[in-house]
Amino acid sequence: MAKMLLQPEYKRDNGDGMVWEWCDEVVDDSEIGTWIKIATAKKAQVKYNGDKYYKIVTVTAKQQAAIKRELQILKGLLLGYNK
């Protein structure tokens, strides 16, 4: 399994004993290949590194399909199908 590094800036909020983390970022052209590899891999895992802990999660087939759809939309936009 190939290892790739993406480092988005996460925002954090909490309440009722829960913590929420999220990020909204523009995907850089240099990262498209990484997303293609995640979307088309037989098995893809993501490792989240925190200040004190880390967690490894498996990317589900449903998540991979969603990434593929987003990549198809991007391809259409790049080819000028947004008219």
Side-chain angles (χ1 to χ4, degrees):
M1 188 176 325
K3 294 185 180 186
M4 295 157 271
L5 181 63
L6 297 174
Q7 294 181 305
E9 293 292 324
Y10 284 93
K11 296 173 182 80
R12 182 179 295 166
D13 198 0
N14 63 70
D16 295 326
M18 302 283 293
V19 176
W20 299 271
E21 295 180 321
W22 69 93
C23 68
D24 294 313
E25 294 210 0
V26 176
V27 176
D28 187 79
D29 289 346
S30 64
E31 297 170 343
I32 298 295
T34 300
W35 288 105
I36 291 170
K37 288 178 183 178
I38 292 170
T40 59
K42 289 182 181 177
K43 180 179 181 181
Q45 294 180 316
V46 176
K47 181 178 182 180
Y48 294 99
N49 284 316
D51 294 335
K52 297 180 182 179
Y53 306 101
Y54 71 89
K55 184 173 184 177
I56 298 173
V57 296
T58 299
V59 180
T60 67
K62 188 174 181 177
Q63 291 167 329
Q64 285 179 298
I67 294 168
K68 284 179 188 177
R69 282 192 303 276
E70 293 298 323
L71 290 168
Q72 289 168 342
I73 291 167
L74 175 62
K75 182 179 176 182
L77 291 172
L78 292 174
L79 293 174
Y81 295 141
N82 59 343
K83 297 175 183 171

